[in-house]
């Protein structure tokens, strides 16, 4: 268990559901969806749990995973209160049912919402990254750019009958990832983890992790992972790909080569032409 100072915890704040991008701007939507979402305040100090010792894998239900937790470096921590998750889900469903333009969350998921299209990127995700996640990631993943996180891609994925039901094994276009369960009621859909994508026998002993509403799972972007098939109900998860240009400017996490940059708007894919504070990528595992 890893405690950290309360100053690292997001303080109660508001997120106004205003659309901030030209693709999804609508005065009607802004007037209709100005309801405030509040991050709930927790009592006491939140704690971080390293996964592995008590988590199970599918080949031996009820038995500890074979690989020790320190090899995978996967952690669970509380992020949002249950009331906040419910309020956020209501906003997501309203947006999903609207006729606003919507992009796909990523190349693998077909159902979900990009947080910047909902107007929640700057008021919610950026403070979450800067005030809460970066100090923590600097302690847990100093070799993966945890202390130099300067951009992100945030989206919500939805799993439901007739839509996406599972997700194949993959690795993320990110230095680090947090996956927060928002609900709803569902069965199945557990996350499973292998080794880093460079490992030849990455899925020989997968670690299986159940979802806990309001809690997030932290892992390295290069950690092979996927989602088991959904049984019943709907499952919504907030995914934030955390990026450090100090790392990826020198080594693209997808092709493992020095990137050839093309100008883009916003965060792009997390690369920068300006040189930030450097980190030694040779220490990356």
């Amino acid at each position: 268990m890893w405690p950290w100072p309360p100053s690292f915890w997001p303080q109660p704040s508001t997120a106004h559901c205003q659309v901030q991008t030209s693709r999804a701007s609508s005065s009607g939507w802004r007037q209709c969806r100005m309801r405030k979402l509040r991050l709930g305040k927790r009592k006491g100090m939140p704690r971080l749990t390293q996964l592995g010792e008590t988590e199970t894998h599918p080949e031996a239900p009820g038995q500890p995973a074979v690989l020790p937790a320190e090899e995978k470096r996967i952690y669970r921590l509380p992020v949002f209160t249950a009331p906040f998750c419910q309020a956020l889900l209501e906003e997501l469903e309203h947006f999903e049912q609207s006729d606003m333009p919507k992009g796909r969350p990523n190349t693998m998921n077909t159902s979900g919402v990009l947080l910047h299209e909902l107007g929640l990127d700057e008021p919610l995700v950026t403070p979450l990254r800067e005030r809460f996640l970066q100090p923590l990631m600097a302690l847990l993943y100093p070799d993966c750019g945890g202390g130099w996180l300067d951009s992100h891609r945030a989206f919500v994925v939805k799993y439901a009958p007739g839509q996406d039901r599972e997700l194949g094994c993959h690795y993320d276009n990110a230095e680090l990832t947090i996956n927060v369960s928002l609900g709803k009621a569902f069965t199945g859909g557990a996350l499973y983890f292998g080794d880093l994508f460079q490992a030849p026998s990455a899925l020989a002993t997968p670690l299986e992790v159940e979802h806990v509403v309001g809690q997030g799972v932290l892992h390295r972007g290069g950690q092979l992972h996927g989602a088991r098939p959904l049984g019943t109900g709907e499952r919504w998860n907030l995914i934030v790909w955390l990026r450090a240009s100090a790392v990826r400017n020198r080594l693209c996490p997808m092709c493992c080569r020095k990137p050839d940059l093309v100008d883009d708007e916003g965060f792009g894919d997390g690369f920068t032409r300006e040189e930030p504070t450097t980190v030694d990528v040779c220490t990356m595992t």
Side-chain angles (χ1 to χ4, degrees):
M1 308 288 280
W2 294 72
W4 65 89
S7 60
F8 289 174
W9 189 252
Q11 297 300 309
S13 60
T14 60
H16 299 270
C17 294
Q18 297 181 3
V19 177
Q20 297 176 325
T21 63
S22 58
R23 279 203 304 160
S25 60
S26 165
S27 59
W29 177 262
R30 287 196 294 269
Q31 293 170 5
C32 232
R33 308 308 309 153
M34 283 294 290
R35 190 150 48 95
K36 294 179 181 179
L37 302 179
R38 294 188 178 273
L39 289 174
K41 187 175 183 180
R42 292 181 176 273
K43 295 181 179 180
M45 185 178 292
R47 290 185 177 272
L48 182 74
T49 303
Q50 189 172 32
L51 302 181
E53 291 89 344
T54 58
E55 299 290 328
T56 61
H57 58 75
E59 288 76 18
Q63 298 299 317
V66 175
L67 290 181
E70 59 268 19
E71 290 190 16
K72 294 190 183 297
R73 299 168 66 187
I74 300 171
Y75 304 87
R76 188 199 301 279
L77 77 162
V79 180
F80 300 133
T81 63
F84 177 80
C85 290
Q86 179 61 38
L88 180 56
L89 281 176
E90 291 177 7
E91 295 296 333
L92 292 167
E93 289 182 315
H94 282 295
F95 182 71
E96 183 185 47
Q97 294 163 10
S98 75
D99 58 359
M100 302 292 293
K102 304 173 184 69
R104 287 181 59 178
N106 54 63
T107 58
M108 298 183 71
N109 291 96
T110 60
S111 301
V113 176
L114 290 162
L115 266 290
H116 75 269
E117 291 186 339
L118 188 56
L120 291 180
D121 207 355
E122 286 305 312
L124 175 63
V125 185
T126 295
L128 181 68
R129 167 172 57 83
E130 294 178 345
R131 295 166 51 192
F132 176 49
L133 292 175
Q134 181 163 333
L136 181 60
M137 296 297 198
L139 295 175
L140 297 177
Y141 304 102
D143 54 330
C144 302
W148 294 269
L149 303 176
D150 52 6
S151 69
H152 61 262
R153 178 179 175 85
F155 52 91
V156 172
V157 293
K158 175 186 177 183
Y159 295 85
Q163 301 181 36
D164 293 335
R165 297 184 65 94
E166 61 185 303
L167 189 62
C169 186
H170 65 284
Y171 56 91
D172 297 337
N173 185 3
E175 277 64 69
L176 300 163
T177 296
I178 183 168
N179 182 330
V180 185
S181 175
L182 302 177
K184 299 180 173 180
F186 60 90
T187 61
L191 301 175
Y192 63 88
F193 292 89
D195 295 340
L196 288 181
F197 70 92
Q198 298 97 335
S201 58
L203 291 179
T205 52
L207 172 69
E208 191 156 314
V209 178
E210 297 295 334
H211 301 276
V212 179
V213 173
Q215 296 194 8
V217 176
L218 300 176
H219 63 87
R220 291 169 290 180
Q223 200 89 37
L224 280 172
H225 60 284
R228 301 296 186 195
L230 182 75
T232 60
E234 291 184 9
R235 178 169 73 82
W236 296 68
N237 286 64
L238 169 63
I239 314 294
V240 185
W241 288 349
L242 299 160
R243 292 160 167 171
S245 60
V247 174
R248 60 179 41 224
N249 282 355
R250 290 160 175 74
L251 187 70
C252 172
M254 304 304 287
C255 67
C256 295
R257 299 176 182 174
K258 183 175 178 60
D260 183 13
L261 301 181
V262 176
D263 290 336
D264 197 0
E265 296 181 358
F267 288 144
D269 273 333
F271 301 95
T272 60
R273 290 192 184 278
E274 298 178 0
E275 292 297 318
T277 304
T278 60
V279 293
D280 185 2
V281 297
C282 294
T283 63
M284 294 179 64
T285 55

